[in-house]
Amino acid sequence: MSRAVTVPDSAAEPILEARDLVKRFPVRRGLLRRTVAEVHAVDGVTFSVRAGETLSLVGESGSGKTTTGRCILRLVEPTSGEIRFEGRDVLALDGPSLRKLRRKAQIVFQDSSGALNPRMTVGAIVIEPLEIHDLGTRQERTEKMELLLQMVGIDPKAASRYPHEFSGGQRQRIGIARALALDPTFLVADEPVSSLDVSVQAQILNLFVELQEKMRLSYLFIAHDLRVVKHLSDRVAVMYLGKIVEVAPTALLYQNPLHPYTQALLASVPEPDPQTKKPLSSKTLPGNRHSSPLDPPRGCRFQPRCPVAVERCRSEEPRLTEIGTAHFAACHLAAGPDS
């Protein structure tokens, strides 16, 4: 799979901005359901997405990627922070204003089976957003539904069938068609290919690229596999235990990863050629030192697993610092001794 698009102008105004985004989930116990702890799911995350850009958010399961995406759309209410979409304060929106946001910013879910109502036909599923927002006549809605199905590679004649009659890849295409029904400008794609076969993954990723070029979409693409996002992204943000630890243009991040966690993620990407022997990485992580979001470690959150951590890493939290042009990392060793 290849991608030939123009990288958005770095000086362009961002379509989306998140600043110091925080989401904590209370842990309640006992008969009185008192709060005894908090899960630090997202902890001070800052990033932006420019118009026409794909920013991929990657990291292990439990790093806070999905929660970040859902906070952006207010499917989950943030604990604190700021979110601006097309210059407007998302957290200040309510009622009709929030409904207008829903038309411009949509989500494609990871679980295509759970995301589609099994009691509705495919045609009704794609038409439903148009009905909710009272857009078009019945005939216009039907015509748009057929156009969208055709656009994502589903025969419009199958509109009377139900989700269980389709394969996983086809159901994901239907979910994409539904997300595009309101002509959004921004999509959160929450691990949309993680449950699909490798060959089907490539087809869906190519579809995302084609739709972006046709509809001038911006993506926040969430994934745990750096191999998946390599040819799709303009920039990649790496997330660990609720924090972004590295951000860089895609080519730069793959050529010169600065954070030990990013290096370990890249080293774990399998080699597709069975004849090629991939050397064992010197950055192998100890598997018994995972930290909990209930009680994040002091200093750098990655330091309990980091093979090169020093004493400073255990006492002082590193800031996300620009180390090269447009290349940011939250690592004391990458930033140098004076950072």
Side-chain angles (χ1 to χ4, degrees), residues 19 60 128 147 149 192 213 269 302 316:
R19 296 175 184 169
E60 296 170 304
E128 185 180 32
L147 178 63
L149 289 178
E213 294 173 350
V269 174
F302 186 61
E316 181 183 341

Side-chain angles (χ1 to χ4, degrees), residues 117-128:
N117 189 333
R119 298 186 178 184
M120 294 176 66
T121 65
V122 165
I125 287 171
V126 177
I127 286 175
E128 185 180 32

Side-chain angles (χ1 to χ4, degrees), residues 293-316:
L294 277 170
D295 186 23
R298 289 188 59 197
C300 174
R301 294 196 174 184
F302 186 61
Q303 52 90 1
R305 300 174 67 194
C306 183
V308 295
V310 296
E311 187 56 38
R312 184 184 180 191
C313 303
R314 299 180 181 92
S315 59
E316 181 183 341

Side-chain angles (χ1 to χ4, degrees), residues 1 198 201 205 225-231 254 266 269-270 272:
M1 184 185 66
V198 174
Q201 285 184 3
L205 292 173
D225 187 347
L226 277 166
R227 173 183 54 86
V228 165
V229 303
K230 183 174 183 179
H231 301 290
Y254 280 79
L266 286 170
V269 174

Side-chain angles (χ1 to χ4, degrees), residues 188-208:
V188 174
D190 184 13
E191 302 211 39
V193 299
S194 62
S195 61
L196 305 178
D197 294 339
V198 174
S199 60
V200 180
Q201 285 184 3
Q203 296 171 18
I204 299 299
L205 292 173
N206 282 329
L207 176 61
F208 273 107

